[in-house]
Amino acid sequence: MQDLIKNLANLNWTDTNHSGILKKVFFVGEEFVSNITQVAYTELNKGVEVFSHAHDSIEEVFFLLDGVCEFNIQGDSILAEKQSIIRVPINQEHSIRAISDCKIFYFGVSI
């Protein structure tokens, strides 16, 4: 049962594929029966940017717990504030820029 409950404070920060961005991974794909590949948490300091990229096998959903971020998806700019939920479809170029300090919960689902 211990693998079903995790505490954010007890998880270690790990690298992401995005330079200088760290995350705390709650669960990864092999812990699921479904197509979820990862459930994670990150904090972006004001001004930090996750540069434009796309995923050819993953959709992502972001839940902005706190702060303001600018999401750019396929050239469309979206200003997301606390409690915004943003979906990034498969193969969509996207980037994120922290307008203020941000706390973000996100998960990826394999297609």
Side-chain angles (χ1 to χ4, degrees):
M1 286 300 261
Q2 286 300 331
D3 60 336
L4 299 179
I5 288 185
K6 298 182 183 181
N7 186 297
L8 181 63
N10 297 332
L11 298 175
N12 294 321
W13 289 104
T14 60
D15 287 327
T16 66
N17 293 333
H18 311 289
S19 180
I21 309 295
L22 298 176
K23 64 184 172 186
K24 289 188 174 193
V25 177
F26 299 155
F27 301 102
V28 293
E30 59 265 13
E31 296 177 81
F32 292 98
V33 176
S34 68
N35 290 333
I36 291 177
T37 58
Q38 186 177 95
V39 179
Y41 168 84
T42 193
E43 295 177 354
L44 302 178
N45 293 325
K46 180 181 178 178
V48 167
E49 186 170 349
V50 177
F51 293 102
S52 188
H53 64 284
H55 305 283
D56 62 1
S57 63
I58 297 173
E59 286 189 300
E60 290 181 302
V61 175
F62 297 85
F63 176 58
L64 189 56
L65 298 168
D66 198 19
V68 179
C69 286
E70 177 186 23
F71 281 76
N72 190 299
I73 302 171
Q74 289 295 104
D76 290 325
S77 181
I78 301 165
L79 193 62
E81 298 177 344
K82 182 178 180 177
Q83 297 191 2
S84 294
I85 302 166
I86 302 94
R87 183 177 68 89
V88 179
I90 192 169
N91 290 319
Q92 300 286 299
E93 285 285 330
H94 59 285
S95 64
I96 305 167
R97 185 171 59 92
I99 305 299
S100 68
D101 290 348
C102 295
K103 295 179 180 179
I104 302 170
F105 167 78
Y106 65 98
F107 65 94
V109 179
S110 293
I111 301 299

